[in-house]
Amino acid sequence: VALINSLNYDAGTRIVIVNDSFFNSTNNYDLRINNNVDGVMNLTNVTLANNNISFGTGGNVTLNVFWYLDANVTDTAGNSIYYSNLSIKDKDESTAYNGYTDTSGAITRQTLQEYWQNATTSYYYTNYTVNATKPGYTSNQTNINLTTNKQVSLTLSGLPISINITVQPSTVNNNELTQVYGRLNDSNSLGVPNHPINIYINNTEYTYNSGTGRLVPSPSYTQPTTDTNGNYNYTFAAPSTPGNLSLIHI
């Protein structure tokens, strides 16, 4: 029985591509390649129920087996960590993926190779090492044996973080402009780049309006962040009601 969800064949290059399928045969091979056949067969998320493959003689066929890997990064409270660097390396330390998590803490689904095989030999790329890092957090990694689809979840613990703040001028009248600037450091005194900061004035959240280039009392615009060196510098107009400014790193 072969439940095939997707199959493509390129006659010119002799490549057979099968995705998201299930092969199962009773008293026979799950996959049998005939004699005197050349080409490549790529199986992605294809289950061979008995892992029983037959290669014919007189040909040259390479079978490549791939699986899906999904990964996400969170902090110890279960919150998604945006823009953490996530890398994936195979057993030979070759990089299969290196990129950054999105706002949900996840990366784009990866298709990674478990092994290739022909009539005489085989070669395995698993186990894979998945590593996540972000300034201001301790790194974390795990090893996976990629014999099926995998979901990897990594948790990063935050280092103690200090935030420096300067407001200039410190006292202003209604609608006069003032600047808030400083630096976010981790416990190693290294700047924490691209890190979100909540800015509140009179308990009202201020976000960055790129059109005016200022902080405004609205949650509808971009959340302020540090730059690539851990520094921040924003301008806002003083509200009509006197009050206090507070910054919270998250």
Side-chain angles (χ1 to χ4, degrees):
V1 177
L3 302 178
I4 299 176
N5 184 58
S6 174
L7 187 151
N8 297 302
Y9 175 63
D10 188 327
T13 56
R14 296 188 178 182
I15 297 178
V16 176
I17 301 172
V18 183
N19 298 326
D20 309 323
S21 303
F22 178 82
F23 292 173
N24 182 21
S25 179
T26 303
N27 300 322
N28 209 326
Y29 297 105
D30 294 330
L31 177 62
R32 184 173 65 187
I33 299 170
N34 291 333
N35 298 335
N36 304 311
V37 174
D38 296 334
V40 174
M41 177 174 284
N42 293 339
L43 305 182
T44 300
N45 185 29
V46 174
T47 299
L48 304 179
N50 304 295
N51 201 26
N52 197 354
I53 304 171
S54 172
F55 284 86
T57 60
N60 183 17
V61 173
T62 298
L63 174 68
N64 297 303
V65 175
F66 301 87
W67 300 101
Y68 299 132
L69 183 140
D70 297 291
N72 71 290
V73 182
T74 59
D75 60 21
T76 53
N79 299 310
S80 301
I81 299 181
Y82 167 64
Y83 210 72
S84 57
N85 179 244
L86 193 139
S87 64
I88 305 172
K89 294 184 177 182
D90 64 22
K91 71 172 187 177
D92 299 315
E93 293 294 313
S94 295
T95 300
Y97 173 83
N98 186 31
Y100 293 90
T101 56
D102 59 22
T103 53
S104 68
I107 62 169
T108 303
R109 169 174 282 183
Q110 299 299 299
T111 301
L112 304 178
Q113 189 164 4
E114 179 189 0
Y115 68 91
W116 63 259
Q117 181 180 358
N118 58 30
T120 60
T121 189
S122 62
Y123 186 84
Y124 282 77
Y125 297 90
T126 191
N127 292 352
Y128 283 85
T129 300
V130 183
N131 179 272
T133 62
K134 183 172 184 177
Y137 296 86
T138 56
S139 62
N140 193 10
Q141 70 176 37
T142 187
N143 295 318
I144 59 167
N145 186 12
L146 193 71
T147 58
T148 186
N149 299 326
K150 295 287 186 178
Q151 169 68 52
V152 176
S153 298
L154 291 174
T155 301
L156 303 185
S157 300
L159 296 172
I161 293 178
S162 62
I163 188 168
N164 302 322
I165 176 174
T166 300
V167 180
Q168 186 175 355
S170 58
T171 302
V172 290
N173 296 319
N174 179 25
N175 287 325
E176 289 183 342
L177 297 181
T178 187
Q179 282 184 296
V180 53
Y181 58 91
R183 181 177 174 85
L184 188 64
N185 293 322
D186 63 22
S187 61
N188 297 317
S189 298
L190 299 175
V192 182
N194 307 308
H195 197 81
I197 299 174
N198 289 333
I199 297 180
Y200 292 88
I201 304 172
N202 295 336
N203 296 318
T204 298
E205 182 178 8
Y206 275 57
T207 55
Y208 179 67
N209 183 338
S210 59
T212 63
R214 298 178 186 173
L215 295 175
V216 294
S218 169
S220 302
Y221 295 100
T222 305
Q223 184 176 25
T225 66
T226 58
D227 63 18
T228 55
N229 297 310
N231 300 311
Y232 60 91
N233 190 337
Y234 290 98
T235 300
F236 65 94
S240 57
T241 304
N244 297 316
L245 178 147
S246 61
L247 274 70
I248 304 174
H249 64 76
I250 61 173

